[in-house]
């Protein structure tokens, strides 16, 4: 009986003190398995008088089940501790600032292009596209600039081969649109054509061999110069402020007749004269005119029935005026500090 009490005390103390699940498992084998101190004590039963044996056996069994339940209890405590430890070690401190993903900004040239597109979509125009490697046919001939004509020299560019070149103006998209709409009997036409163009040019603060144009084309019955003027006045006021006025000056393009240069009253001084408008009160922003009858006829449109106007804006120039940018190269060097100033999201 003494040995039994000793066994009980010893076992419970060991279980109680156990801090490790693996050690606990060896204790389980030891106390509940086939070989161990409990079994040893069991063997002692034979030496007892017969009448004491049942009580002794019962006690051994009680100790055994006490060990079993104590081990189970301890196991749960240790498992719970292990989970807590893991949770503790995997804890994420959500009070720390996360890494902010860097959000890109829309390029200022795209902002201006989108703004122009919005103005014309609002007037019922569609937006057309075309290839940057263009056929001589659509870039020059259909724009009434035949082979060997000196007007080609002004837009001398990068030829890919004898027939193809990097387009020099988005007028090439317009000559394609004219042909397409004539074929599909889809007149009248109201379209704008934004895109990159390429010319042999100086690369300095105001010139680049590559830039973006947005040209516009309207063909219908009884379209007049006054329609062109009203349209461009609307555009100028949307882009540079409601109080802007415009003026036409005579000019020359092969594909329009008459042709004009269009000036907008200076948005900085309001027309009084300042450094931006070089003291004149006016800023030249685009070329335009009434589409030349030859251009219509070459595309298969009857110039006696239809007339229309076209205009071409340089996106870089508008962006420079609008945002007060001095050097065109800022647009192309991709300096994040420059681009970030056009962030609309912060
Ligand atoms: N294509 C001309 C240019 O690149 C611009 C323009 C377009 C002029 C349409 C008149 C009409 O300079």
């Amino acid at each position: 009986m003494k040995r039994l009490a000793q066994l009980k005390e010893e076992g419970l103390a060991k279980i109680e003190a156990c801090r490790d699940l693996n050690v606990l498992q060896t204790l389980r084998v030891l106390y509940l398995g086939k070989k161990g101190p409990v079994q040893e004590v069991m063997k002692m039963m034979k030496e007892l008088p017969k009448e004491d044996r049942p009580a002794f056996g019962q006690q051994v069994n009680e100790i055994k089940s006490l060990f079993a339940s104590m081990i189970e209890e301890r196991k749960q405590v240790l498992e719970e501790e292990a989970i807590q430890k893991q949770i503790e070690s995997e804890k994420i401190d959500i009070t720390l600032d996360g890494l902010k993903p860097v959000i890109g900004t829309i390029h200022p040239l795209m902002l201006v292009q989108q703004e122009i597109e919005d103005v014309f979509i609002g007037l019922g125009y569609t937006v057309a596209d075309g290839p940057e490697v263009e056929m001589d046919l659509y870039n020059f001939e259909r724009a009434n600039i035949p082979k060997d004509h000196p007007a080609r020299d002004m837009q001398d560019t990068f030829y890919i081969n004898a027939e193809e070149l990097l387009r020099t103006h988005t007028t090439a998209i317009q000559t394609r649109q004219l042909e397409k709409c004539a074929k599909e009997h889809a007149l009248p036409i109201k379209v704008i054509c934004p895109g990159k163009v390429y010319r042999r040019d100086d690369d300095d603060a105001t010139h680049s061999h590559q830039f973006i144009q947005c040209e516009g084309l309207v063909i219908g019955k009884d379209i007049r110069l006054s329609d062109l003027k009203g349209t461009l006045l609307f555009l100028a006021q949307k882009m540079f402020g409601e109080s802007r006025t415009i003026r036409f000056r005579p000019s020359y393009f092969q594909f329009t007749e008459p042709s004009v240069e269009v000036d907008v009253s200076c948005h900085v001084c309001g027309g009084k004269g300042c450094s931006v408008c070089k003291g004149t009160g006016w800023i030249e922003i685009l070329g335009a005119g009434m589409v030349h009858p030859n251009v219509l006829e070459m595309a298969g449109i009857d110039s006696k029935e239809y007339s229309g106007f076209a205009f071409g804006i340089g996106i870089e120039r508008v962006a420079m005026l609008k945002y007060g940018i001095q050097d065109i190269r800022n647009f192309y060097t991709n300096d994040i500090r420059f681009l970030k100033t056009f962030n609309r999201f912060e």
Side-chain angles (χ1 to χ4, degrees), residues 290-308:
M290 300 308 289
V291 177
H292 197 291
N294 286 356
V295 173
L296 293 176
E297 295 293 341
M298 279 188 281
I301 295 171
D302 184 353
S303 64
K304 284 182 198 70
E305 202 181 342
Y306 287 98
S307 61

Side-chain angles (χ1 to χ4, degrees), residues 5-211:
Q6 201 187 355
L7 176 69
K8 182 175 166 186
E9 201 177 311
E10 202 183 274
L12 289 181
K14 275 192 184 159
I15 294 167
E16 202 64 57
C18 180
R19 291 261 160 273
D20 185 297
L21 277 166
N22 291 330
V23 176
L24 192 68
Q25 180 58 21
T26 46
L27 289 179
R28 180 199 297 277
V29 175
L30 184 68
Y31 287 110
L32 307 179
K34 292 212 164 65
K35 283 179 202 157
V38 181
Q39 295 308 115
E40 294 291 321
V41 173
M42 256 323 216
K43 279 181 202 154
M44 288 157 122
M45 199 149 75
K46 286 183 238 133
E47 292 151 34
L48 287 178
K50 244 196 181 133
E51 60 273 23
D52 291 342
R53 287 186 195 169
F56 184 82
Q58 199 184 341
Q59 281 215 36
V60 173
N61 281 339
E62 270 170 20
I63 289 176
K64 238 180 136 174
S65 61
L66 182 64
F67 282 170
S69 65
M70 287 304 285
I71 287 172
E72 191 50 39
E73 210 173 275
R74 192 77 205 129
K75 187 177 158 222
Q76 272 171 20
V77 171
L78 290 179
E79 278 175 354
E80 180 64 22
E81 267 178 25
I83 290 170
Q84 286 305 332
K85 231 187 201 167
Q86 194 181 355
I87 290 174
E88 205 60 38
S89 70
E90 290 175 2
K91 207 153 127 186
I92 298 164
D93 184 355
I94 52 164
T95 61
L96 267 181
D97 276 355
L99 290 177
K100 259 197 187 165
V102 183
I103 300 174
T105 53
I106 297 180
H107 196 282
L109 295 177
M110 284 301 109
L111 286 178
V112 170
Q113 182 178 321
Q114 285 170 3
E115 208 176 314
I116 294 173
E117 285 178 10
D118 284 349
V119 169
F120 284 102
I121 287 168
L123 292 174
Y125 287 58
T126 53
V127 181
D129 204 357
E132 282 179 40
V133 176
E134 184 53 280
M135 290 165 68
D136 185 282
L137 176 71
Y138 294 109
N139 193 80
F140 285 134
E141 289 198 31
R142 290 287 182 83
N144 203 27
I145 311 175
K147 288 219 162 58
D148 302 325
H149 194 283
R152 286 192 176 206
D153 287 352
M154 291 195 302
Q155 298 191 353
D156 197 11
T157 188
F158 309 95
Y159 275 83
I160 307 298
N161 55 45
E163 295 303 321
E164 290 171 305
L165 66 155
L166 294 181
R167 68 182 173 205
T168 61
H169 48 189
T170 52
T171 305
I173 306 177
Q174 311 208 27
T175 56
R176 282 178 177 272
Q177 285 291 315
L178 285 167
E179 182 188 81
K180 181 169 171 272
C181 294
K183 261 192 200 142
E184 294 170 2
H185 303 288
L187 292 157
I189 302 171
K190 268 169 90 177
V191 74
I192 53 163
C193 313
K196 282 188 202 131
V197 298
Y198 305 82
R199 291 180 196 178
R200 188 190 55 124
D201 211 335
D202 293 333
D203 281 315
D204 60 25
T206 51
H207 297 86
S208 165
H209 63 276
Q210 175 193 319
F211 57 101

Side-chain angles (χ1 to χ4, degrees), residues 311-327:
F311 57 88
I313 316 169
I315 301 284
E316 277 82 348
R317 179 147 174 75
V318 174
M320 285 171 86
L321 289 168
K322 222 175 135 67
Y323 300 124
I325 293 161
Q326 311 293 334
D327 194 325

Side-chain angles (χ1 to χ4, degrees), residues 143-144 223-225 228 250-260 288-296 307-310:
N144 203 27
I223 304 287
R224 301 158 187 227
L225 194 67
L228 172 64
S251 185
Y252 174 78
F253 298 104
Q254 281 282 113
F255 33 89
T256 48
E257 183 59 36
S259 300
V260 291
M290 300 308 289
V291 177
H292 197 291
N294 286 356
V295 173
L296 293 176
S307 61
F309 62 75

Side-chain angles (χ1 to χ4, degrees), residues 228-249 261-273 277 280-286 321:
L228 172 64
K229 196 161 188 179
T231 304
L232 295 179
L233 177 61
F234 182 76
L235 174 68
Q237 291 178 342
K238 286 282 172 211
M239 299 298 291
F240 292 104
E242 290 299 321
S243 52
R244 295 285 72 76
T245 52
I246 59 167
R247 71 174 185 189
F248 279 5
R249 283 180 292 111
E261 296 285 349
V262 184
D263 298 340
V264 182
S265 60
C266 180
H267 59 292
V268 177
C269 64
K272 284 189 217 79
C277 57
T280 64
W282 295 96
I283 297 172
E284 184 193 324
I285 59 156
L286 52 89
L321 289 168

